[in-house]
Amino acid sequence: MPSCLVPMRGIVKKLAWELHLVRKLSVAAVAMLASSQASPEDDWMRAARQIFKPIPSSVPAVKDNPVTHDKVELGKMLFFDPRLSASGVISCNSCHNLAIGGVDAGPTSVGHGWQQGPRRAPTVYNAVFNLAQFWDGRAADLKAQAKGPVQARVEMNATPDHVVDTLNSMSDYVVMFKKAFPNEASPVTFDNFAKAIEAFEATLITPAAPFDQYLEGDTTALNDQQKAGLKLFMETGCSSCHNGINVGGQDYFPFGVIERPSATLLPASDKGRYAVTKAASDEYVFRAAPLRNVALRPPYFHSGQVWSLKQAVGVMGETQLGIELSDKEKNDIVAFLNSLTGQLPNIEYPKLPTRTDATPRPSLGR
């Protein structure tokens, strides 16, 4: 056995034991909450509030980047502008399509020159609530994330200079940058490009899902099947990884805690967070997927190979928890996951500035 596998197996066993304890503690916590004055409904709502949080109705603050109206409007234009890519045909919205759940058509993204990327694009909706960005967490925030795809050869295949030259070539953009960053003498920079996109993406939150309404005290917001699914989600240990405001996105876990998925779902060439940390214990470790609006964005997993949410639930039960869920249990959990679909913001497609003779011409070369 390769020595590098020894610590990994130890960690997997530790995680398996921790998940086993979480399942036991979830049931125990509910039992402790019960009282002669409280109904079972009150018990489960109280337990859920300890694990999850509703999405706020207002835009959250972003560290070191005040979210202003001018910055958001600029960021929206940049998000939809394909001329920032080398080919002139790929925008942020190409892979994070706001009309279909903030993702692409799948299974994995197609970029410059029809190159197929190795992973499925994560959703941009509610991404502001994640611990970090990308499946492997290599970007600390949305500013850092915005700089990645535009420079990746397999995605937009551009450079910071190309972005800045393109923006400077159109006077409307120059004016908008001055409004968005009024205290800077030369505001059209690659850093400010990323900050504007971050500000816009911070507004892409989806509050008022039925589950949010339930957490806020409306016991009728979930139907009986969804409540049964929530109970299962908590009892079986799903919520040990998928918790918090985004029902996930807050920590990293191996894909295959108990049982390794097939090579189709877990390609051997993609070792996940290991590419970031180079730690053997991070091989095939990924950020837990945030489950907000999950019903809107098949296919599932970083490899994008599962098109059914019910099948994805079954895979997670076997690989992460070591349990085989019944058909009814999977249907109940899927019903609960459907209650995580919130109100998507109404985004009007922007009218972009007109290119000029100075705007860089599209290039399809690699």
Side-chain angles (χ1 to χ4, degrees), residues 96 103-104 107-109 118-123 130-139 145 242 249 251-253 255 265-266 270-276 282 284-291 294 297 299-305 316:
H96 300 283
V103 293
D104 58 16
T108 61
S109 300
R119 294 177 184 164
R120 175 136 178 83
T123 181
N130 290 333
L131 168 73
Q133 305 303 320
F134 296 113
W135 284 97
D136 54 20
R138 65 184 181 274
Q145 188 278 332
H242 298 281
D251 210 340
Y252 306 96
F253 301 93
F255 188 10
L265 300 185
L266 185 64
D270 186 353
K271 294 188 177 183
R273 190 153 172 77
Y274 172 79
V276 179
D282 280 337
Y284 305 108
V285 168
F286 298 87
R287 189 196 62 190
L291 298 183
V294 67
R297 53 176 199 268
Y300 300 106
F301 305 123
H302 70 287
S303 51
Q305 295 299 312
M316 292 300 283

Side-chain angles (χ1 to χ4, degrees), residues 101 291-298 300 309 334 337-341:
L291 298 183
R292 292 287 184 171
N293 308 299
V294 67
L296 302 181
R297 53 176 199 268
Y300 300 106
L309 185 53
V334 168
L337 294 177
N338 273 278
S339 79
L340 301 178
T341 301

Side-chain angles (χ1 to χ4, degrees), residues 51 111 278:
I51 299 171
K278 303 304 180 184

